[in-house]
Structures are given as C-alpha cells and as structure tokens.
Amino acid sequence: MDFSFLSDKEQAELYTFDCYFVTDNVFNVCDIRIIVSNNMLAEAINKLPCDLRDIVLLSYFANMPDIEIAKQLDLSYWIVFRARIRALKRLKAIISTEGIK
C-alpha cells in the first residue's frame, strides 16, 4: 500500500520515538533508577545532602509515600516527613540563589 493513501492517524501510528536519556541525569536510590530530565533541577537536587536528596527523589520522582520511603531507608515516618519538608525548603533556596529556573 502506498503511504499517500493512509489517513493522518494511520501515518502517525507508523513511527516510534525512542528516548535514550543521553542528556538526562540518573540517580540510584535504594536500587531504584530515577531519571531527572531537567538538567538544572538535577543539578540543584545534587547539591542537597545525600539523605535529603534520596527522600526528594523517592517522593517526587518515584512517587513513593513517606511511609514507604521510611521502610526503604529504615527510618521513622516522622523523620522522613520532616526531612522532606526541610529538603524542599533547601531546594527552593538553592534554586532561588543560583537562579535556576
């Protein structure tokens, strides 16, 4: 069949888009591979202390609830909850002082 006879929808179904994460930032937390596509955000996250960075990555990029993060990191729920709030404040400060948008 000639491609010119295909509808726009059918033509759109003929290709795929592969994303190889060449320019993305990969973090490994608790044997979970977490990819942060935004380089400036990844840079800001990387400036957090390790414990806060892991909590932010698991919470916001792996969509884990605090109770699950606590189990993964062998911490109490309240420690994770407070650390996540503290990490967000630090991340906001890093972003605002360094002009990361």
Side-chain angles (χ1 to χ4, degrees):
M1 175 183 253
D2 190 334
F3 289 136
S4 62
F5 293 114
L6 297 175
S7 69
D8 290 338
K9 182 182 177 191
E10 291 171 323
Q11 287 181 25
E13 294 173 354
L14 291 177
Y15 72 91
T16 61
F17 180 76
D18 293 331
C19 184
Y20 294 105
F21 311 113
V22 173
T23 61
D24 293 336
N25 301 281
V26 179
F27 296 91
N28 290 306
V29 183
C30 298
D31 294 327
I32 300 171
R33 186 173 168 217
I34 299 174
I35 298 168
V36 179
S37 297
N38 184 308
N39 288 333
M40 289 185 270
L41 179 58
E43 182 182 329
I45 290 171
N46 214 19
K47 292 183 179 184
L48 291 172
C50 294
D51 57 337
L52 298 182
R53 182 184 64 224
D54 291 350
I55 290 170
V56 165
L57 290 167
L58 291 173
S59 181
Y60 295 102
F61 291 89
N63 296 315
M64 270 190 197
D66 289 346
I67 193 74
E68 184 63 30
I69 295 170
K71 288 178 187 175
Q72 287 286 327
L73 300 177
D74 197 28
L75 300 169
S76 78
Y77 165 82
W78 291 109
I79 289 173
V80 171
F81 175 80
R82 288 191 296 265
R84 184 174 48 79
I85 301 300
R86 194 170 61 251
L88 289 178
K89 287 180 182 177
R90 279 200 184 174
L91 196 55
K92 184 178 178 181
I94 291 168
I95 290 170
S96 65
T97 42
E98 298 185 16
I100 299 171
K101 296 180 183 178

